[in-house]
């Protein structure tokens, strides 16, 4: 069983997802970069940041 009813439906979802991902650094919702940075900075345990 496929998740999408048609290739067109899958392409439409892909376009939405691709745009959503491209806006990662601009979004201010819980899934955006600023929210993830906040979680990282507020965590007091041992952490490692990979920058490359």
């Amino acid at each position: 069983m496929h998740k999408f009813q048609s290739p067109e439906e899958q392409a439409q979802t892909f376009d939405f997802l691709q745009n959503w991902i491209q806006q990662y650094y601009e979004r201010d919702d819980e899934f955006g970069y600023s929210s993830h940075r906040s979680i990282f900075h507020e965590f007091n345990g041992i952490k490692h940041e990979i920058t490359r």
Side-chain angles (χ1 to χ4, degrees):
M1 176 170 260
H2 294 284
K3 183 176 180 179
F4 301 101
Q5 297 297 319
S6 69
E8 292 79 17
E9 184 183 353
Q10 185 174 4
Q12 201 172 28
T13 301
F14 177 77
D15 290 342
F16 169 80
L17 182 58
Q18 188 174 32
N19 288 330
W20 186 78
I21 291 167
Q22 288 173 344
Q23 296 169 353
Y24 175 69
Y25 291 101
E26 301 162 7
R27 288 195 315 270
D28 60 359
D29 61 9
E30 64 185 308
F31 303 108
Y33 178 78
S34 61
S35 179
H36 294 156
R37 287 307 301 172
S38 232
I39 293 167
F40 182 81
H41 284 298
E42 291 174 18
F43 179 70
N44 292 320
I46 296 172
K47 53 189 170 185
H48 301 276
E49 183 170 12
I50 300 170
T51 59
R52 201 166 187 221

